[in-house]
Amino acid sequence: MRAEVGERSTRSGTAGGNLALATAAFTLTFWAWNLIGPLSRSYSEDLGLTPTQTSILVAFPVLVGSLGRIPVGTLTDRYGGRVMFTAICLLSIVPTLLVGLSANSYPMLLLWGFFLGIAGTSFAVGIPFVNAWYKANRRGFATGVFGAGMGGTALSAFLTPRLVEAMGVLTTHLLMCVALAVMGAVMWSLARNSPEWSPRTEPALPRMREALALRATWQASALYALVFGGFVAFSTYLPTLLTTAYDFAQTDAGMRTAGFAVAAVIARPVGGILSDRIGPVRGCLISFFGTCAFAVVLALHPPAEFPAGLSFVLIALSLGLGTGAVFALVAKLVDPSRVGTVTGLVGAAGGLGGYFPPLLMGVVYQATGAYTLGFVLLAVVALIVALYTTRAFRDVT
């Protein structure tokens, strides 16, 4: 019977159809989550912000988008992905609108940017939602494809500055509000929870304590803080870095940031598929050692187009591979009934990994006039995580 359900149309609920719907919703909400970063130069110039103030503004949505994944993952285990995707899309409309109305006020941008982080919690909905539709040997593929929705940051980096130039800040944000409303309606109408999924109705706190008691939760959190945190940090702060360190125009910086995000997005499903073939641990190690090597190159502040441009693309590919590999590892280590709660915790760690680097980069640049120290720290952390991985997961195939 369950096999028959899996073969029906998207409206009834096929694995591929629901994977496509979840990826689309994830893409759009990630675009909304990253509405502030691509406009950082405009906000900085219009409001007279220091580099540290700008980095705080860019990082603020990441905070709620990170910590909010913990309760959202737990709620997904209870209510399912259909309800939670719909709720996240609709709730994100309010801060999206209010950010658009607050372009002339730094305190209001901080306040509503904080709540814009709600859109970033969709990740903790999608991982358990798509996991439930696939067997264990296909979950690396499924989570990798779903994770490609983080390309919403690429769309934001490329299109948001251009839409603002053409139509203005408020109209751009109003368009995003309409898109979120439509996506919420689509998810409610078409998405279906897997017939393999069943709600966990016990209280949330015991489930969270249960997930926190798992060694795999803490291990995966450390790994994901590096790879997804690195992706988020670059996606949100790279427009600022390129306009300050390499003097690019805001639209040019946005185009290059979009290229970075696209490279990471392409690499994420590759990381999942590669993990299905060679094992998630090897996939993670390729990511970590690659991140270390290319961070060293960028620490030397090479010329903008080459080798800096190439190094940014290669570090994006490395981080993208890692984001796919880590959740292939989670799917191997964690029982499916706990994946939502564990995903929320691991996703929060990943988001927090992306919260602090922009703040650090802003402080480093304001103090030294260069980003060298920030890239050196990234290389050191990547090397430490790689060495830890070789020891902690030596028995995982």
Side-chain angles (χ1 to χ4, degrees):
M1 181 64 182
R2 285 175 176 171
E4 292 175 2
V5 172
E7 295 299 324
R8 293 176 189 168
S9 66
T10 300
R11 183 175 294 275
S12 300
T14 65
N18 280 283
L19 177 58
L21 288 169
T23 303
F26 183 38
T27 301
L28 184 66
T29 51
F30 252 44
W31 181 345
W33 190 35
N34 192 40
L35 280 170
I36 290 177
L39 304 177
S40 60
R41 182 166 185 169
S42 292
Y43 290 135
S44 180
E45 293 175 351
D46 294 346
L47 301 175
L49 306 180
T50 66
T52 300
Q53 288 176 314
T54 302
S55 65
I56 292 172
L57 177 62
V58 168
F60 238 47
V62 179
L63 185 60
V64 172
S66 305
L67 296 178
R69 291 175 186 179
I70 298 173
V72 166
T74 302
L75 289 170
T76 302
D77 280 344
R78 179 160 189 166
Y79 296 107
R82 175 178 176 244
V83 168
M84 292 304 297
F85 263 127
T86 302
I88 295 300
C89 288
L90 298 181
L91 288 173
S92 298
I93 291 172
V94 175
T96 298
L97 173 62
L98 293 172
V99 166
L101 291 169
S102 304
N104 296 320
S105 170
Y106 182 66
M108 289 296 99
L109 279 173
L110 285 177
L111 174 63
W112 299 120
F114 179 81
F115 288 105
L116 191 63
I118 292 169
T121 65
S122 61
F123 176 79
V125 178
I127 291 292
F129 179 71
V130 302
N131 248 343
W133 276 104
Y134 286 84
K135 294 181 179 179
N137 64 347
R138 293 281 287 165
R139 286 178 185 150
F141 160 78
T143 57
V145 170
F146 167 75
M150 65 189 191
T153 60
L155 291 174
S156 184
F158 184 74
L159 292 176
T160 299
R162 287 164 173 76
L163 290 172
V164 168
E165 283 189 358
M167 298 182 293
V169 172
L170 180 57
T171 303
T172 298
H173 286 71
L174 286 172
L175 284 175
M176 178 56 67
C177 290
V178 172
L180 288 166
V182 171
M183 183 57 71
V186 167
M187 293 305 291
W188 181 257
S189 301
L190 300 181
R192 293 293 181 268
N193 295 313
S194 167
E196 300 289 340
W197 174 81
S198 59
R200 297 193 67 181
T201 56
E202 64 268 31
L205 286 178
R207 279 186 283 145
M208 290 180 63
R209 285 197 296 267
E210 181 183 84
L212 287 169
L214 297 174
R215 178 182 295 181
T217 301
W218 294 97
Q219 292 172 324
S221 294
L223 274 54
Y224 205 60
L226 171 63
V227 290
F228 187 73
F231 168 77
V232 170
F234 275 113
S235 296
T236 56
Y237 196 71
L238 195 55
T240 304
L241 187 151
L242 292 175
T243 55
T244 52
Y246 289 102
D247 202 31
F248 283 113
Q250 184 168 269
T251 51
D252 292 335
M255 181 176 67
R256 284 163 172 79
T257 303
F260 174 94
V262 166
V265 165
I266 291 172
R268 179 155 191 159
V270 173
I273 295 168
L274 187 66
S275 296
D276 286 340
R277 292 177 178 270
I278 68 171
V281 174
R282 291 189 182 95
C284 287
L285 290 175
I286 292 170
S287 166
F288 303 155
F289 283 121
T291 300
C292 176
F294 301 121
V296 169
V297 175
L298 291 169
L300 301 175
H301 190 68
E305 299 299 342
F306 182 84
L310 177 61
S311 296
F312 277 121
V313 171
L314 291 174
I315 204 170
L317 291 172
S318 298
L319 293 169
L321 286 172
T323 57
V326 170
F327 271 96
L329 182 62
V330 170
K332 186 177 283 287
L333 297 176
V334 178
D335 183 85
S337 66
R338 298 174 175 174
V339 165
T341 304
V342 172
T343 294
L345 293 166
V346 174
L352 287 175
Y355 174 70
F356 294 104
L359 300 177
L360 176 64
M361 285 294 204
V363 171
V364 165
Y365 187 78
Q366 188 166 341
T368 66
Y371 292 106
T372 301
L373 179 59
F375 285 117
V376 168
L377 290 173
L378 174 59
V380 170
V381 170
L383 180 60
I384 290 171
V385 172
L387 295 176
Y388 169 76
T389 300
T390 61
R391 293 179 61 86
F393 302 105
R394 64 179 63 182
D395 297 326
V396 179
T397 57

